[in-house]
Amino acid sequence: KAGVTQTPRYLIKTRGQQVTLSCSPISGHRSVSWYQQTPGQGLQFLFEYFSETQRNKGNFPGRFSGRQFSNSRSEMNVSTLELGDSALYLCASSSNGNLNTEAFFGQGTRLTVV
Amino acid sequence: AQSVTQLGSHVSVSEGALVLLRCNYSSSVPPYLFWYVQYPNQGLQLLLKYTTGATLVKGINGFEAEFKKSETSFHLTKPSAHMSDAAEYFCAVSDRIFGNEKLTFGTGTRLTIIP
């Protein structure tokens, strides 16, 4: 069974640009969550999608957005990039988004904003 | 609001020695509790979780943790450290509210194993 796949693994962008990151969950999983990991702030919850609906959102500005497709694949978008957006972005999938079931993480996309 | 405190951002132990990583949580409702491990340039892997039932939870790679409600703690232990245990460890908490199961992570503990 394939794991959670995040693409691309590495990305370099310039301030002011926008970026789209992709996450393909484990087959059959309907919930996808996104987290930002930085040395200063640690791991912070961005948002969670379940069956194409955003079910939960963290405390991030509106520049951070996401969506989920009918096949459960998810994308997150960051517009007007700032230097502080440099981070490892992790996606996690679970079967129904209930943490009584395990959440599986991808390897992440490392975004560097210059 | 939930929060997690991991005492000690860096812990070093000798190979074969006891590993003890500390985690205290704050939650307004009985929480779900988790320990994750992260190896360099990798995502997070679940070591173990407490949701309900037995308070001593056994996980992968010989790790275990005990949920102590009175102490609001969920410390991670392993009787004998291996070199392969060197990694960063994160404790996390989640409310037991369906549809709001986001994870709140601690700041992590980097474990170094001394040969």
Side-chain angles (χ1 to χ4, degrees):
Chain A
K1 197 174 191 181
V4 178
T5 303
Q6 291 188 245
T7 56
R9 288 291 312 277
Y10 302 92
L11 207 49
I12 300 175
K13 289 288 188 179
T14 305
R15 269 185 307 173
Q17 287 186 314
Q18 74 165 20
V19 67
T20 299
L21 312 182
S22 179
C23 173
S24 293
I26 292 171
S27 178
H29 283 193
R30 297 164 64 191
S31 170
V32 173
S33 299
W34 289 89
Y35 292 83
Q36 181 196 63
Q37 185 177 22
T38 60
Q41 299 297 317
L43 281 153
Q44 293 185 289
F45 173 78
L46 280 156
F47 29 65
E48 186 233 353
Y49 286 86
F50 181 77
S51 293
E52 302 180 66
T53 300
Q54 186 181 87
R55 195 162 63 165
N56 205 353
K57 190 176 189 304
N59 295 323
F60 278 82
R63 300 185 298 106
F64 291 81
S65 63
R67 60 177 175 170
Q68 187 179 34
F69 301 95
S70 58
N71 62 359
S72 293
R73 190 176 70 85
S74 177
E75 291 181 345
M76 67 163 282
N77 184 279
V78 188
S79 62
T80 319
L81 283 165
E82 301 176 0
L83 295 178
D85 297 332
S86 295
L88 180 66
Y89 290 88
L90 292 166
C91 141
S93 81
S94 66
S95 58
N96 59 12
N98 183 337
L99 282 177
N100 199 32
T101 59
E102 182 175 348
F104 294 85
F105 281 81
Q107 291 187 300
T109 294
R110 184 164 297 281
L111 171 65
T112 302
V113 182
V114 297
Chain B
Q2 307 154 303
S3 66
V4 174
T5 301
Q6 291 185 241
L7 294 176
S9 57
H10 292 84
V11 170
S12 297
V13 301
S14 297
E15 191 175 14
L18 171 72
V19 175
L20 171 60
L21 304 183
R22 300 178 186 276
C23 171
N24 288 89
Y25 70 90
S26 171
S27 177
S28 57
V29 298
Y32 291 157
L33 293 161
F34 306 81
W35 275 100
Y36 285 86
V37 62
Q38 185 177 35
Y39 297 99
N41 297 316
Q42 299 292 318
L44 301 173
Q45 181 183 14
L46 181 67
L47 282 175
L48 50 80
K49 65 182 180 184
Y50 169 78
T51 56
T52 187
T55 56
L56 181 62
V57 181
K58 294 187 185 298
I60 62 171
N61 302 337
F63 285 94
E64 63 182 38
E66 187 171 10
F67 169 59
K68 291 188 176 181
K69 184 179 178 181
S70 61
E71 299 177 8
T72 61
S73 69
F74 191 57
H75 302 331
L76 182 71
T77 61
K78 181 173 180 177
S80 177
H82 292 191
M83 294 301 294
S84 60
D85 294 328
E88 190 149 22
Y89 292 79
F90 293 92
C91 181
V93 64
S94 174
D95 279 342
R96 294 171 178 264
I97 301 173
F98 184 74
N100 188 30
E101 297 94 358
K102 67 175 183 177
L103 291 165
T104 299
F105 287 90
T107 52
T109 298
R110 185 168 300 278
L111 177 64
T112 300
I113 309 299
I114 303 166

